[in-house]
Amino acid sequence: MSRLYLVPTPIGNLKDMTFRAIEVLNDVDLILAEDTRTSGKLLKHFEIATPMQSHHMHNEHKTVDGLIEKLKSGLSIAVISDAGTPSISDPGFLLVRACVEHHIDIECLPGATAFVPALVNSGLPNDKFVFEGFLPVKKGRQTRLQLLAEESRTLIFYESPHKLVKTLGHFCEYFGEDRKVSVSRELTKLYEETIRGTAKEVLDHYTNKPPKGEIVIVVGGKNK
């Protein structure tokens, strides 16, 4: 029976791949990969020979209709991103939405994602939180930060290493230098690191020690 599977892949440590994920990727007819070169290494490691097709943010609008037809014809398809859970700041949402509209079965496997361990190990309240993903680069950034400055729940952001210092500077400006911040980078990898402190303290740290790797920023909410 046709079905769309959303399959999380490791964010760094290959040991975080689940038995079920390997089984599904072996059993489906087609794997949609954000970058076939990156995913090719993963599939080779686990000896998965299922055909792959490129599915990323630049082509997903054009490929959805064709993929729906494949699913309707009886094929089973898995979606994977370069790392983590598809559709979380990665491609996947448009196809899932189309499957819902066409009453095609969808199954999302549990597994690796970066923001959950970053939130849990931050030491900041995690009973209520807001996942923001990447902030707007230019247009709308100031407006978004002004809005989030009043948010009382814990905030979670993704950021690239070369923009981290700039973003931490904006947090100092809009949230206040004393707002609690935790920055986790290279999660599950050899040089995993979490730096905690005030926004100003964490900014000073990374100003003097430029970061590398994938980054998750967790920010304490505004005290009411």
Side-chain angles (χ1 to χ4, degrees):
M1 182 179 292
S2 65
R3 179 168 297 192
L4 179 72
Y5 293 90
L6 302 170
V7 181
T9 54
I11 60 174
N13 192 325
L14 290 177
K15 293 179 182 178
D16 292 331
M17 190 73 167
T18 68
F19 293 119
R20 186 177 168 206
I22 295 170
E23 181 179 65
V24 168
L25 294 180
N26 269 311
D27 289 346
V28 294
D29 300 297
L30 177 66
I31 296 172
L32 302 179
E34 184 179 5
D35 186 327
T36 54
R37 294 166 298 180
T38 299
S39 296
K41 298 173 184 176
L42 178 77
L43 300 190
K44 183 178 180 181
H45 179 83
F46 290 106
E47 299 180 346
I48 298 168
T50 306
M52 274 192 299
Q53 177 180 320
S54 179
H55 183 74
H56 49 73
M57 62 180 293
H58 302 296
N59 73 357
E60 59 178 336
H61 290 82
K62 302 175 183 177
T63 59
V64 165
D65 290 343
L67 293 170
I68 291 297
E69 291 306 312
K70 288 181 186 292
L71 286 160
K72 284 184 173 180
S73 73
L75 294 183
S76 57
I77 298 177
V79 180
I80 59 176
S81 62
D82 289 347
T85 301
S87 202
I88 303 295
S89 293
D90 280 324
F93 165 70
L94 294 179
L95 183 55
V96 170
R97 182 176 64 181
C99 285
V100 171
E101 292 171 352
H102 288 272
H103 306 289
I104 295 169
D105 288 339
I106 305 163
E107 190 169 335
C108 182
L109 279 62
T113 191
F115 80 81
V116 173
L119 171 63
V120 173
N121 76 26
S122 69
L124 294 168
N126 54 34
D127 56 332
K128 296 182 178 66
F129 60 89
V130 179
F131 175 72
E132 280 291 313
F134 289 95
L135 282 166
V137 177
K138 293 181 180 179
K139 186 178 180 181
R141 187 180 181 93
Q142 180 180 3
T143 302
R144 193 70 196 155
L145 286 166
Q146 288 173 338
L147 177 66
L148 293 173
E150 300 303 314
E151 176 59 63
S152 61
R153 293 168 292 183
T154 299
L155 301 162
I156 305 170
F157 303 89
Y158 285 164
E159 191 53 280
S160 60
H162 66 280
K163 293 179 182 176
L164 177 62
V165 168
K166 177 181 178 181
T167 295
L168 290 171
H170 284 156
F171 289 169
C172 287
E173 178 182 354
Y174 290 95
F175 301 164
E177 294 186 350
D178 293 332
R179 186 74 71 94
K180 294 294 184 182
V181 170
S182 174
V183 173
S184 292
R185 66 177 192 87
E186 295 289 81
L187 286 165
T188 80
K189 300 178 184 177
L190 181 62
Y191 297 106
E192 177 176 335
E193 173 187 73
T194 296
I195 300 297
R196 307 173 185 87
T198 65
K200 182 64 166 61
E201 289 169 343
V202 178
L203 171 61
D204 289 344
H205 173 84
Y206 283 113
T207 298
N208 296 320
K209 186 180 179 182
K212 296 180 180 179
E214 301 297 321
I215 290 169
V216 185
I217 312 172
V218 183
V219 182
K222 181 179 180 180
N223 294 324
K224 296 294 186 179

